[in-house]
Amino acid sequence: MSVESCRIDLWLWRARFAKTRSLAASMVEKGAIRLTHNGVQTRLDKPSRSVHPGDEVLFAQGGRLVAVRVVQTGERRGPPEEARALYEALD
């Protein structure tokens, strides 16, 4: 059984929360991303940290907090419809 996972910077880019992968990496390095994995919330500091389906990601974007649950890691950066399938919004 293989556990599906992906780098957080790659996932943020694939899910279209960042225009480039380097922008996604700088969001992580600034400490702007919080990840809840197995009920434990941590502030991410390295773009190489893994994200798994079921994890919750919290960050500020455009002056508001964005909270999403990772549904899948994705294969590529696709069109917006494909990107929205990678997560579900948490209210």
Side-chain angles (χ1 to χ4, degrees), residues 35-90:
L35 177 74
T36 305
H37 178 70
N38 291 337
V40 179
Q41 188 180 78
T42 50
R43 177 175 283 166
L44 298 181
D45 54 350
K46 294 186 177 112
S48 60
R49 297 275 192 231
S50 291
V51 64
H52 304 83
D55 288 355
E56 293 176 8
V57 180
L58 176 71
F59 57 94
Q61 187 174 52
R64 62 187 185 88
L65 277 179
V66 177
V68 296
R69 179 174 292 117
V70 178
V71 175
Q72 51 187 320
T73 56
E75 297 288 314
R76 64 187 184 124
R77 180 178 166 99
E81 305 79 47
E82 196 174 301
R84 281 192 292 272
L86 301 182
Y87 62 91
E88 61 185 22
L90 301 173

Side-chain angles (χ1 to χ4, degrees), residues 2-17:
S2 69
V3 178
E4 188 183 7
S5 70
C6 172
R7 288 174 56 112
I8 185 66
D9 61 335
L10 188 57
W11 187 85
L12 287 166
W13 175 69
R14 286 177 180 165
R16 294 183 165 263
F17 289 117

